[in-house]
Amino acid sequence: KVGFTPPDLLMHRFLWSGLVFIPLVLRAGIGNLCGIGWGRGLVLMVLGGPVMSLISYTGFLFVPLGHGSVIQPSSATLGGLLLAAVFLRERVPASRVAGAVVIVGGLAVIGAESIGHIGADGVLGDLLFVMTGLMFAVFGTLLRHWRVNAFSAATVISVLSLALLPLYAASGGFARVAALGFGENVLQALAQGILAGPAALYLFAFSIQTIGVARAAVFPATVPALTILIGWLVLGEAPTTLQAAGLVTVLFGFYLAQRQR
């Protein structure tokens, strides 16, 4: 709301962590990117790094905060469950399948609001969140399949993301964010550059290593409720009736999906 564009948030999300992690990647071996390999590293950077983030940030330009906070993690959960069962051959309990069906119902409720009240731009925004959710599901699946270390994944993605910095500088991005004030930039550097960036990436990758894709995929359940709640309290974006109904449905689906039988 203060004027940051999606590329501005993207810069804060990866610039600071990328600079900090450069020495670690160089020490671990730049030739094979900490053992991940350049090919796999670039794929992970696209699916779980700045490309995915930029698409996600763009979606918030078209629809209210609540849409992205529900649709993106829900799509990631559905995609993660499907890929875990089909690609990784992980066991998926019946309750988890039932939860996925309920989540689809919640997404349909939220999508109905886009069609009826927001129009084509709203549908586009929702589809962007579906895309990024599925990208993140593939990202998590590949982390498990390739057995990529959580810390290596976070460091390599942050460092590779620095390759986009010249494009940002050429677009006048640094002058734009400087005009928004020191305090606002520090806030975004902390929120994006630490919490939403390498910290979240590392913790998600670590959870995949320890409990598997199928179970880890359902834990974004906390994202919708907390985002809508904080958006209401901090930004004044009260959820609509359909948003609230869709949120409750999705959270119930997450509850079912997290049961062990």
Side-chain angles (χ1 to χ4, degrees), residues 79-150:
L81 289 172
L82 179 63
L83 290 171
V86 175
F87 185 69
L88 299 177
R89 304 295 183 184
E90 291 186 6
R91 178 180 174 274
V92 180
S95 62
R96 209 160 284 167
V97 176
V101 173
V102 174
I103 290 171
V104 171
L107 293 178
V109 172
I110 297 171
E113 184 193 48
S114 295
I115 297 174
H117 299 283
I118 302 179
D121 285 346
V123 175
L124 173 60
D126 287 349
L127 289 177
L128 291 177
F129 292 129
V130 171
M131 178 190 301
T132 53
L134 294 178
M135 289 174 68
F136 201 64
V138 176
F139 169 75
T141 302
L142 291 178
L143 283 178
R144 179 74 169 184
H145 179 63
W146 290 336
R147 302 186 182 280
V148 176
N149 176 271

Side-chain angles (χ1 to χ4, degrees), residues 1 65 227 229-238:
K1 284 197 168 184
L65 185 66
T227 306
L229 177 62
I230 295 173
W232 187 6
L233 297 177
V234 177
L235 302 180
E237 293 187 4

Side-chain angles (χ1 to χ4, degrees), residues 121-248:
D121 285 346
V123 175
L124 173 60
D126 287 349
L127 289 177
L128 291 177
F129 292 129
V130 171
M131 178 190 301
T132 53
L134 294 178
M135 289 174 68
F136 201 64
V138 176
F139 169 75
T141 302
L142 291 178
L143 283 178
R144 179 74 169 184
H145 179 63
W146 290 336
R147 302 186 182 280
V148 176
N149 176 271
F151 185 74
S152 296
T155 56
V156 164
I157 289 173
S158 296
V159 171
L160 288 179
S161 299
L162 294 176
L164 300 177
L165 192 60
L167 294 176
Y168 179 76
S171 70
F174 287 113
R176 183 171 58 248
V177 296
L180 298 177
F182 179 77
E184 293 292 345
N185 280 283
V186 169
L187 178 62
Q188 292 301 330
L190 293 174
Q192 300 292 338
I194 298 178
L195 300 178
L201 188 61
Y202 168 79
L203 291 173
F204 183 74
F206 183 76
S207 70
I208 287 175
Q209 292 176 353
T210 54
I211 62 177
V213 173
R215 189 175 177 190
V218 303
F219 276 88
T222 57
V223 173
L226 290 176
T227 306
I228 288 182
L229 177 62
I230 295 173
W232 187 6
L233 297 177
V234 177
L235 302 180
E237 293 187 4
T240 65
T241 302
L242 280 177
Q243 274 185 351
L247 174 62
V248 171

